[in-house]
Amino acid sequence: MHINIFVVIIILTVFYMATVKRITSLINGFLVQSLFISLYVFSEGVLTKNMELYSVAFILFLLKVIVIPLTLRQLVKNIKADENAGLLISPVISLIFAAILAGFSYEFADKIMPLQGKHLIGAFSISLFITLVGMFLMIFRKKAISQIIGLLVMENGLFLLAAEAAGGLPFFIEITIFFDILVSVMILGVFVYRINSLFTHIDTNKLTRLKG
Amino acid sequence: MEIFLILGITAFLAIISFFIKNYKTLSLVNVLGHLAVLSIVAKLTADIYGNGASISMFNFFYADPLSIFFMLIIGIINTASIIYSVSYISNDLKENVISSAKANLYYVLFNALALATFLVVVVDNLGMLWIAIELTTLISALLVGFYNKKNSIEAAWKYIIICSVGITIALFGTILFYYAATLTGATSINWTNFIAIATKLDPQILKVAFLFIFVGYGTKAGIVPLHTWLPDAHSQAPTPISMLLSGVLLKTAIYAIIRFAIITNKSVGIQYSSNLFLLFGLLSLGIAAGFILVQKDIKRLLAYSSIEHIGIILIGLGFSGIGIYGALLHTVNHAITKSFMFLGAGNIVKKYKTGNMNIIRGVINLLPFTGTLFILGAFALGGTPPFSIFLSEFTILMAGFQNKSYLTCGLFLFFIAIIFGAIIHHFSKIIFGKEPADSKFRGDEPRLLTVKPEINPEHPNRGEDFFSAGSVSLMFLFIFLIAFGIIVPGFASKILLLTAEVIKQ
Amino acid sequence: MKSVIIIVQVLSIILVAPLISGIIRKIKDNLRMRKGASIFQPYYNFLKLLSKDEVISENSSWIFKITPFIVLAAAITATCLIPLFGTGFSLNNMGDIFTLIFILALGRFCLSLAGLDTASTFSGMGSSREMFISSLVEPVALLALFVVALNSESTSLSLIAGVFNFKLSSLVAVIALFMVTISETSRIPIDNHETHLELTMIHEAMLLEYSGRSLAMLELATHIKQMIFFSLIAIILFPLIILPSFGLYQILFTIAFFLLKILIIGTLIALVEISIAKMRLFRVVDFLGFAFVLSLTALIIQTWGM
Amino acid sequence: MSALCFASFFPCDPLSLFFVFVILIISFPSLVFSIGYLKNEYSSRKIALSWILSLGFIFSMLGVVTTNNGFFFLIMWELMSLISYFLVVFDSKKSKSIQAGTIYIIMTHIGTTFITAAILMLFNYSKSFDFIAMKNAVELIPSGTKNLIFLFLLIGFGTKAGIVPLHIWLPYAHPQAPSHISSIMSGVMIKTAIYGLLRFVFIILGIHNLWWGVLVVILAAISCLVGVIYALIEHDMKKLLAYHSVENIGIILLGIGASMIFLKMDIPSLAILSLIAGLYHLINHAIFKGLLFLCAGSIYKATESLDIEKLGGLIKKMPYTAACFLIGSMAISALPPLNGFVSEWLTLQALFLGALNSSGFFRIFLGIAAASLALTGGLAAACFVKAFGITFLSLSRSKKAEEAVEVPFSMKFSMVFLSLLAVLFGLLAVPIVKYLSHLSQYITNIHLNTSFALNNFTLITQSKNPIYLSTPLILILFLLIIATAYFIIRRALPFQKVLINKTWDCGYYNLTPRCEPRFPNRGEYTATGFSKPFRLAFSFFLLPQTKTEKIKDSFYHTTSFKHEISTTPFFNKYIYSPILYLIMKTAKVTRKLQSGSINVYIAYIFATILLLIIFMEKF
């Protein structure tokens, strides 16, 4: 896998999303990230002359750059949630956290793939880094929508790993995974609407009625 | 061929129940459909175990003894659940808790969930396995949030978020598995293909990949540090659904873990996976014991006891040898006993209108039929001999003592004793004792064919109907409870032995 | 022949028993510088009571009426076990020292039941205290006899009496046994049999409700029980002489020698009664505790082979 | 796998035959008793249920003693506890019986876990659950595991038998069950634990260390004393009898422990003698404890209450029950002609001869054991004087006791049947000892030529200088003397009048009131008064507390004065509640894990995956 300009931008978007305060900029960050992943896959397809990668890149672009951000913006508008993404810890600390995670995933990748040669370590550590930051986003954000976006970022990380390391899962599986993600975003949206109507807020931190 | 039939019927049921308006025909169609599915599964088991072979069709579907075994469990629990939900939903309709459209939606989702679970155990392609499990999570989340109340929505939200996170990690593991396969030149992601090239796979990657798989599907199976969604989801879902959740969904996740464990065992060796299983099994047992002791709600207590039994199954798998036979037997026993207990709990909660165990008293006086079966089920759950759970726990212990891991067996016995004490303490308080004086609970429990209950002067509020569908499914499960009690009958032990062979490959 | 001698032996004990308590009372009164009643006073009391009417409380049941017979029978059966004239002359195939203890326990059991039967406060208190003291005494008595039996390698009384192997441990055991006799025959430090003062009488309290002939029987039984304990100590302390042949002369000689032994023990008891004041009930526990420790030391000495 | 499915029964083994006999001989009268006892107490449906449960209970006990397969033994064992649990919570109105049931089933379950562990350890080496296979495979077991197996078996069967530290369920469970069931439970169920010990320790495992016997004897002595001391201060009749079961189990184990010591010191004749004593006391206890519980049942039937403070004067109204209870209490306090005396005498003989043949430490140890047995005998006699005297004699202290009426025929029949049995077992000592010596020779598989029973009704021990006991002779002599005394006193001497008059109350006004309110009359002695000396003497163990409460309307004038005496349950307070508190504390701490916020839950997953990756090499 060759570290090219697209992967660098993807890592930057991750850091951007870790620090940002408002939901709309969070959605934009996710949009940019998916855009560059699809570009990266497209460039991968061009390099390896593999027709499938073109269609995968196109569907990824269609889904993750256009449809999902649109639904999320629609969601934010309908429930008139306030703009703040509900950060539990200040942006500076979350930045430090993201850095630590990057260091950890690099050191860890080195440990598990010593004999496969240098080029793969980069791919594996980056995708692990993105997944962990995705989880980090879910842990340290109060608002339901930021948790959905955290989930989507994790899936982006997975997709990047699949594209780089294994040259993409079998075509049919990739497509079904995309539609699966779309369905889960739809259902999560339904639940956000219900939470908003029942609890008049979408702050998951306050959802603590079921204890013990 | 039968696989198509099974999936076809369930899909057909899912679609058709959207259109039938009259509730009676709707429930009748569903019950008959599921009985048909159960009979096909039974036929399938008969000829699979006849010659021990496995069928695979155009490299997408694959059914070997292991998947048939799980299919059997899913079939039985689905049938019991559908029979119970007939009277459950009709009772809700009568008390107009839900509209008739919602009832149709309930059956659609129920059959969709059944379809997804059947898909999980039948599919050969590991990616498709992931997608099927993702589907079960999404559909069951909608079912958990069925009653649009604050608690159930919160439970559904937690359920869907935590399980999605878990499943994404599992996808991470699947991709690593696929990557390891591509290193050796294979391109297909089918399980059969993995088994063929398992010895050539790089052990280092498989170790990491199995870790991710274990944590991923472990969240879905309710292993302790990842179990947090389970008590909320099970206690807030409607009873037939929590029965499905406990009986079937946890087992499908265990099925997935077993599939991947077989591959890792071939390349990395037994020790790696059994250590993981033992550690997390004991952890689940211990923490669940702690929770059961201080529980106040009857359904949450049953949910935690599911965590405990998942822990026992893991320990069984960890001991390997005869332990695998015990773990599989325990899967069946637990599925049946837990669904049986959820049915009883459902009846009690519906009668007392609350799940809080400090208020419920004198169940044996208000619901004599459910009461007796419930206290017997409580003893079964605790692991007393005449019932089946003791038999499987005893087999697992035999395996434990055979490979001389005395400490693990000691801890195992200690936790089992605590849980037995806690369960009996809680349930004997609610079953016996004087029923609440102001018990205006004149409402009868769910029923299909009502038989007028004679008013007993001593207990005026004794409203229970012997022939209601709920009681029919209670009896249906109780027979299984007793059947495996003392000696595992011939054909069942043959099925278990064959499945154990598959795992020990 | 043997059974005839046993009957003579038992009859002689029954006849002599009141005499002994009469003599002890006489010694006590003389030591207290009083003239005191004649030594045959117990016989006079016995005959007087035989001719008196009997008054039975209305609250009592059939147990009250049967108890005098059972207590007397228990005392007499116990005497059959004790060889006086010679080692062979006792019903030793009926039982041994443990049987002796349990037969006396039977008598005590029925007497305290009769005490409770008449719903009178004094006899109820008497039976409660009697059972309390006797339950503490039993282990002391058993351990002391245990040690003596260990010395003579058998628990049957005839063998204990016959074999003269007097060791230090038997002496310590006899001292413990002496303290047991004080409590069993309701002598001063533990119980005062002369007065009817509610606080001090224990054994007497149970006989409070009795009158007439049943009282006579119970009095006789207490005298016989006292004789049993004295003869037990006598057997262990002084050896029985094996008679060369039987004739009137030899029987008279053995009875006289036996009476001498009993008198020595009687005077000892009288001396103890004079010198010590009666203990409060809960100091009796320490007294019997001390007796138990004594018998325990006897056992330990015995294990060292002395 | 086949080991699991195969299971068979063989009642031909002498040990099982003996226990089948013990079970049947007590269950028959109890079931007959239950006909009268349950008649108008419960609805007909409940009576049918009680019959099914009792027959199931007896069947499971028979199953326990006759099976020869370890796995099947466990199933029957737990089935027995399960059915007896349902019988304990039979009339589930009283919340006390539910709590008692829970304590009972939890304690027995813990006991069974230990037995399961022991059987599985044996299975490891014998590869099959058959007792004979286990017996042959014992040589392979290293000695460390043998000790462990023995300890597990002792704890497991000790919980069921009610040995002291594990006895706390017994005074709760037995009184709550209906009386005919508590008579079967107390008479026979705790004996199945002794059967377990004999079967597993004596026959299968064999005695391998001396400290085993010493430990059993120490526990037995402690159980004797603790059981009897608690019985003395207990005023509920059935609880009192339950504590006495603890005491008598101690006496039985004294015999069995002594035989374990002698087996190891290989003095075969003494081992057999003490085993005979233990088994003989086992069947005696079954008989008189069953009898006493049946009498307690008929008292409950007649007066609806079991608190002996409230009863009194029942002998005039219930002559049969009184007579049977008297025979039972005389038997339990080991008074000569009856069966308790013979077995206690045999135990004392065994201890004495053991002390004779051993030296140094063991002589003192067995001497102290004999002393503790004697103390227990004395205290038991005191306790039963209290129990019989306060309940049956003097005046009745409550309205219910006043109107008590004799129980129906079926109950009378079973009580009389058992009391005849008690007298019979006392007199027929010789044939019984002959049978028991064959049985104990089978158990310890030593073959001895000297027998312990002469032909003409006398027992003899130790051939060197024989010691004789013949209960029939004692009885004949006894009756002879009573006849002569009666003849002389009542017939021969001139006739004297016998008057009936008031008890002497030193002229105090109205001590025993004639008119209303007749109760409570202040004359006679009550149970608390009777047991006060014992409470003070054993205060170091009972730790009595008194609570007084004065209600005053003005400073000087107190309207009512309440004085309450209570003793601290030693074992509950210092052993069981601390453990329970500890477990509940940890449970409350683990409860905080489920704190409710979803962020924390996802953090758990995050932490697990990170930790697993870091510590991957450990697996």
Side-chain angles (χ1 to χ4, degrees), chain C residues 51 53-54 56-59 63 77 93-96 99 102 113 118 120-121 128 153 155 213 302-303, chain D residues 316 334 345 349 363 388 393 465 467-468 470 474 477 489 494 496-501 503 514 523 530:
Chain C
S51 60
D53 290 356
E54 227 181 299
I56 294 176
S57 140
E58 68 204 352
N59 309 341
I63 288 181
T77 354
N93 62 4
M94 185 168 79
D96 59 353
T99 339
F102 280 114
L113 275 188
T118 52
S120 99
T121 336
S128 145
E153 268 114 26
T155 56
R213 290 191 176 156
Q302 211 277 340
T303 49
Chain D
K316 302 176 184 63
W345 183 79
Q349 271 309 320
R363 181 166 288 185
F388 181 77
L393 304 178
N465 29 35
I467 303 148
Y468 301 95
S470 113
I474 295 176
L477 200 63
I489 298 293
Q496 290 303 110
K497 284 209 301 305
V498 176
L499 315 166
I500 308 287
N501 207 325
T503 321
R514 288 283 165 281
F530 194 93

Side-chain angles (χ1 to χ4, degrees), chain D residues 257-527:
Chain D
S259 80
M260 282 163 86
I261 294 176
F262 300 138
L263 267 175
K264 195 61 190 130
M265 288 158 74
D266 57 56
I267 318 163
S269 66
L270 274 189
I272 301 246
L273 177 67
S274 36
L275 198 56
I276 290 172
L279 291 174
Y280 200 152
H281 196 74
L282 184 130
I283 185 146
N284 288 343
H285 175 252
I287 292 167
F288 54 66
K289 186 47 60 67
L291 171 62
L292 290 170
F293 263 110
L294 292 189
C295 298
S298 47
I299 295 172
Y300 182 73
K301 176 88 179 171
T303 61
E304 298 302 326
S305 112
L306 276 171
D307 178 2
I308 45 181
E309 297 277 8
K310 300 278 182 305
L311 303 172
L314 292 180
I315 194 163
K316 302 176 184 63
K317 309 195 176 49
M318 303 164 72
Y320 283 94
T321 325
C324 297
F325 195 92
L326 182 62
I327 291 176
S329 31
M330 284 171 82
I332 200 166
S333 11
L335 299 179
L338 297 173
N339 58 3
F341 162 66
V342 181
S343 51
E344 210 146 308
W345 183 79
L346 277 172
T347 327
L348 280 173
Q349 271 309 320
L351 292 174
F352 169 71
L353 293 173
L356 199 60
N357 293 356
S358 61
S359 65
F361 162 74
F362 270 101
R363 181 166 288 185
I364 299 171
F365 176 69
L366 291 173
I368 292 169
S372 68
L373 184 58
L375 178 60
T376 331
L379 291 172
C383 178
F384 271 90
V385 161
K386 178 190 89 170
F388 181 77
I390 305 291
T391 13
F392 285 95
L393 304 178
S394 73
L395 297 174
S396 46
R397 284 187 286 279
S398 72
K399 186 150 284 312
K400 280 212 169 52
E402 188 70 30
E403 290 127 9
V405 74
E406 187 51 288
V407 283
F409 171 71
S410 67
M411 297 162 87
K412 267 190 271 183
F413 164 75
S414 37
M415 284 194 285
V416 167
F417 174 79
L418 276 178
S419 33
L420 283 181
L421 221 59
V423 175
L424 213 63
F425 269 73
L427 301 177
L428 298 177
V430 174
I432 293 167
V433 165
K434 268 210 186 73
Y435 164 72
L436 285 181
S437 71
H438 295 314
L439 178 61
S440 35
Q441 275 166 31
Y442 167 78
I443 294 173
T444 50
N445 65 37
I446 304 165
H447 293 294
L448 206 59
N449 38 35
T450 66
S451 95
F452 288 98
L454 273 185
N455 34 33
N456 51 15
F457 297 109
T458 49
L459 292 176
I460 66 130
T461 50
Q462 194 206 10
S463 52
K464 194 152 69 67
N465 29 35
I467 303 148
Y468 301 95
L469 167 74
S470 113
T471 34
L473 191 59
I474 295 176
L475 190 62
I476 296 160
L477 200 63
F478 212 72
L479 296 178
L480 206 67
I481 294 166
I482 288 179
T484 44
Y486 181 79
F487 176 73
I488 296 166
I489 298 293
R490 285 289 181 254
R491 288 292 175 273
L493 294 172
F495 173 72
Q496 290 303 110
K497 284 209 301 305
V498 176
L499 315 166
I500 308 287
N501 207 325
K502 231 159 60 124
T503 321
W504 163 253
D505 51 11
C506 34
Y508 188 67
Y509 165 70
N510 196 359
L511 203 57
T512 54
R514 288 283 165 281
C515 54
E516 288 310 315
R518 282 180 59 75
F519 314 106
N521 55 38
R522 298 191 301 282
E524 78 245 22
Y525 228 54
T526 61

Side-chain angles (χ1 to χ4, degrees), chain C:
Chain C
M1 178 50 192
K2 191 159 158 327
S3 51
V4 165
I5 292 181
I6 292 165
I7 292 168
V8 162
Q9 184 179 297
V10 166
L11 281 179
S12 63
I13 288 183
I14 294 170
L15 287 178
V16 163
L19 182 69
I20 300 296
S21 41
I23 292 166
I24 293 174
R25 184 169 300 140
K26 185 79 172 168
I27 297 168
K28 270 201 304 188
D29 292 347
N30 290 355
L31 288 175
R32 291 191 206 135
M33 313 312 270
R34 284 203 228 112
K35 193 162 180 311
S38 88
I39 55 172
F40 301 106
Q41 187 55 31
Y43 290 102
Y44 302 147
N45 291 352
F46 185 74
L47 294 174
K48 175 196 75 181
L49 284 174
L50 280 186
S51 60
K52 279 258 193 277
D53 290 356
E54 227 181 299
V55 176
I56 294 176
S57 140
E58 68 204 352
N59 309 341
S60 65
S61 62
W62 52 273
I63 288 181
F64 186 80
K65 299 182 187 62
I66 282 183
T67 315
F69 294 102
I70 294 178
V71 171
L72 187 62
I76 294 169
T77 354
T79 48
C80 304
L81 283 172
I82 298 181
L84 279 180
F85 294 147
T87 57
F89 304 114
S90 77
L91 280 174
N92 60 13
N93 62 4
M94 185 168 79
D96 59 353
I97 42 170
F98 299 141
T99 339
L100 184 78
I101 291 174
F102 280 114
I103 289 175
L104 292 177
L106 171 66
R108 196 184 309 126
F109 185 86
C110 292
L111 195 57
S112 20
L113 275 188
L116 281 169
D117 195 9
T118 52
S120 99
T121 336
F122 312 109
S123 43
M125 185 192 292
S127 55
S128 145
R129 293 190 170 170
E130 172 71 16
M131 288 317 283
F132 170 59
I133 291 171
S134 66
S135 63
L136 293 180
V137 153
E138 237 180 74
V140 180
L142 188 117
L143 204 54
L145 291 173
F146 197 90
V147 167
V148 168
L150 281 177
N151 277 340
S152 54
E153 268 114 26
S154 140
T155 56
S156 102
L157 273 159
S158 54
L159 282 169
I160 291 176
V163 167
F164 179 70
N165 49 15
F166 191 79
K167 295 199 177 102
L168 178 62
S169 57
S170 301
L171 180 64
V172 173
V174 159
I175 296 166
L177 214 57
F178 186 75
M179 297 164 90
V180 163
T181 22
I182 290 175
S183 77
E184 277 304 314
T185 54
S186 57
R187 289 291 169 194
I188 275 296
I190 292 184
D191 163 21
N192 184 347
H193 68 279
E194 282 141 8
T195 74
H196 273 224
L197 189 61
E198 310 86 83
L199 296 179
T200 56
M201 60 173 178
I202 296 173
H203 185 71
E204 276 304 298
M206 290 187 283
L207 315 182
L208 205 61
E209 281 304 315
Y210 279 99
S211 54
R213 290 191 176 156
S214 11
L215 184 57
M217 278 194 280
L218 287 170
E219 290 280 337
L220 182 60
T222 16
H223 296 314
I224 294 171
K225 213 167 92 170
Q226 180 184 304
M227 264 301 284
I228 293 169
F229 277 95
F230 286 174
S231 42
L232 250 179
I233 296 175
I235 289 169
I236 299 168
L237 270 183
F238 316 102
L240 280 174
I241 302 144
I242 296 53
L243 288 174
S245 67
F246 295 101
L248 186 61
Y249 168 65
Q250 270 84 3
I251 290 172
L252 281 178
F253 172 69
T254 38
I255 290 181
F257 183 60
F258 176 71
L259 270 179
L260 185 66
K261 287 190 266 181
I262 298 293
L263 273 180
I264 295 165
I265 300 167
T267 40
L268 266 175
I269 289 279
L271 282 173
V272 162
E273 281 212 80
I274 297 299
S275 51
I276 307 176
K278 181 181 182 315
M279 287 181 196
R280 255 173 21 113
L281 183 65
F282 303 111
R283 286 228 18 249
V284 166
V285 178
D286 315 332
F287 178 82
L288 292 174
F290 174 68
F292 182 73
V293 166
L294 214 61
S295 50
L296 209 59
T297 38
L299 182 64
I300 294 163
I301 296 166
Q302 211 277 340
T303 49
W304 290 335
M306 281 187 288

